[in-house]
Amino acid sequence: MSQTPYSSQITLCLLLIVAGSSNASTNANTMRPMSEGEMSSVSGRDGIAVLLNSSGIAIESIAVHADEGTADAGVLRARNITYTPLEPNATWFTATLDVGTDPDGDVRIAYNADMAATRFRLGSLDLGHASQRFGEWVLDATTAFRISNHGLFAHTAPDTGVAALYLSLTDAALFYHPTGYADAGITLAELDFLWDMPTGVIGLSNDGLHIAGDVNYGVSFDWLYKHDASQTDSAVTTTDRPLLQLGWRGMLYDTDLTLGSGGVWQGNEVDGAVDQSARTEGLHMNISWNYRKHHDDPFDPENHMRWRLGHAGQLPGESRMALAFTDWRNLTDSDGNPAEKGFSFPITLDVIPAGSSGPGGLCWGGSTHGSGCEGSMLNLHAGNISGYTHGSNRTDGDGLLFAIRDGNLLAYANQVIVDPDGVYSDPEHYHWGLVYTLPNINANVVMYPGGSLYDADSGFIADILLMSQSSRDGQGDVIWQEGSHFMVVDTCPGAGIGGCDRAVNMGFGMVGADFLFAGDDTRIWLRNNDDGNGGIDLMSPRARMQLRGLLALTRVPDGQDMMAIAGSDLNLEGFANFRITPPPPGEAYLGYSAALRLGELNNTADATLAGGQGSYYAIYEPGRPDVALSFTGITGDVSLEDGRLQVYGRNEKSDGSPPELALSNTIRIGASAAGRMDDAHAGALLPGGAGGQVLRSDVYFGNDRLGEMVIPGATLKSSISLTP
């Protein structure tokens, strides 16, 4: 094999990786195709192949240290790592490295690796303290990896790129347990992943590793809840209960991924805004894409992205019925100019010590995060956990930070496919969609180990601050193509197309919205199902949720011909609990419930979240928030119980019934909510005493107080159904 400096270095690294493993051998081989023949034009010479058929690999621990010797020092440590072939006598790892030339005579390097069915076990993940851990993960998978480029890195424009990158996981399953296997866990079964970029760029820039091109992408899995006395170490059993079937599959156009060094910014400001260019040690990533190569390209049902949501039945006869949201389109302005990218997601990962200022707060009601905030600065201060009774409280907790700045989802699905059997054998296509665009996504999420009621030092507790706010122009008006909109849309393009009798393209819902969720010391607990109330349980002693915007009818994708109905502003503060529960055997739905103790938050040294007006709801004349019917100073208990998210196929409810997406629950107020409220705060203090407190509110019209509303107790039934 003719050697280049690049190939020599790669060969050396590859041999070092497998050094010390038993029964490793090398032989000459030629380069194999990367995927779908995209490498067939490369003329390969003699290369190197590495085969590994040992009993496995074990690593005691791997630690990543950031900012050592400084006040920002932190460590992320993985312990008890093993790779074990699921068929011990097989050759479970093969790798080839080759150098060749493409048709233009340019030198090209290709590296291919295949791993047979293998179990990767991460015994523990912590922040440097072995006694406090996030839990244990196990991944079973068959893996394939291919990369080809001019040298290692050749940074060119994506449309002239010569690199190829392929990664797949097949026949995979991911298992997570926060504590021992006697307690509940989560499984992602039937897991498959694909990243196939046949042509593009893999290069280095001042910002870090840069990958760009059109990508055939896919990820799908069945989300299962695991808790049963017969459950095994790491296997899907008949007692695992389904939660949801989820999947994304199709082309991601103009994909751009940058991975660089640098964690949280250091708190300096420029013109009143936090300067994100001066960073501590850590990692940051930015990924973006479009759902069409060109905005006016016709819909391609075979290749364009589909988001799949459905039943995850595991037993014979259980439903696999699903909905697929497809025909994604970017929002446009009134002239038809689309948003630049349908999706972009910049994220920073860092380990921060207790007491750290972290990334600083977020500006609610403005776009400048820093001292120049035009609204209210909200913040959750790292390291302090309080409000619990079982050992999770602390004042010195290091945290794992995920920070998002200026993310965007500015596209929506224009069609829905009903898939009755889960394999697209007889799909039904409908011209309607759900719009949930999210501009200016900003978030601070700090994760701490601990929180499980079965072991206070295992699991997850999180400080969560998340917001999305519509962009506005200098006059304060919403910029439609950069707005947050939540709508149901009839997308019929014209008579005779897909069963349509006329052109519609109209939607109803909330437009120009702002959304806020904050949860201080949020416990994420996998609750055992001993009492039938098991599932994924999220609880925050101090939470705030706000959604405000305009209820309206309008056209999509450009927001023209808008008919404003009313302004709406809902702000809820207090104790909050939300739980996702699996259905019993033979049933097919996602269960949910919630409990809220409403009141008014006070800012503390741990959290600056208060809105200053407590919990309230106002509905007002469009453009006139001073002309409002308001329910202010809301206090008391509210619960949602017996919640179901369910997908029905044609004829499933009755003969002739159409497909349906249904959301139902029972709303309990005041004394009627006592049972769910008392169950909600297991292992934590419930501010204000026992459950069942009367719901109270002052009622205003404009500035005039009309009186007080008091509900000692009530029960309401709610059901929302969407049918094509």
Side-chain angles (χ1 to χ4, degrees), residues 96-118:
T96 63
L97 176 69
D98 206 352
V99 175
T101 56
D102 62 18
D104 295 328
D106 295 323
V107 175
R108 196 173 177 101
I109 294 177
Y111 172 71
N112 301 342
D114 292 277
M115 188 177 293
T118 306

Side-chain angles (χ1 to χ4, degrees), residues 621-674:
E621 181 181 331
R624 293 287 307 278
D626 58 318
V627 184
L629 176 63
S630 306
F631 301 87
T632 65
I634 302 174
T635 62
D637 293 347
V638 178
S639 68
L640 301 180
E641 302 180 33
D642 305 319
R644 293 188 177 194
L645 173 63
Q646 197 156 5
V647 180
Y648 296 98
R650 182 174 297 280
N651 301 319
E652 188 173 345
K653 295 185 72 173
S654 62
D655 288 342
S657 64
E660 181 180 328
L661 177 64
L663 187 72
S664 62
N665 55 62
T666 299
I667 304 172
R668 301 189 188 277
I669 299 173
S672 302

Side-chain angles (χ1 to χ4, degrees), residues 90 127 151 245 291 296 339 385 388 426 443 475 490 495-496 567 664:
L127 299 178
Q245 173 196 163
Y291 296 96
D296 55 357
I385 300 173
Y388 293 91
D426 189 21
Q475 287 72 46
D490 183 338
S664 62

Side-chain angles (χ1 to χ4, degrees), residues 53-57 83-92 116-119:
N53 59 0
S54 71
S55 58
I57 298 174
Y83 278 97
T84 307
L86 296 180
E87 299 179 9
N89 295 325
T91 298
W92 59 278
T118 306
R119 171 162 294 173

Side-chain angles (χ1 to χ4, degrees), residues 39 129 142 366 385 429 480 485 510 515 562 592 636 659:
M39 281 297 295
H129 306 286
T142 299
I385 300 173
H429 293 254
W480 169 262
H485 315 302
M510 183 171 286
F515 168 75
M562 184 178 297
Y592 66 92

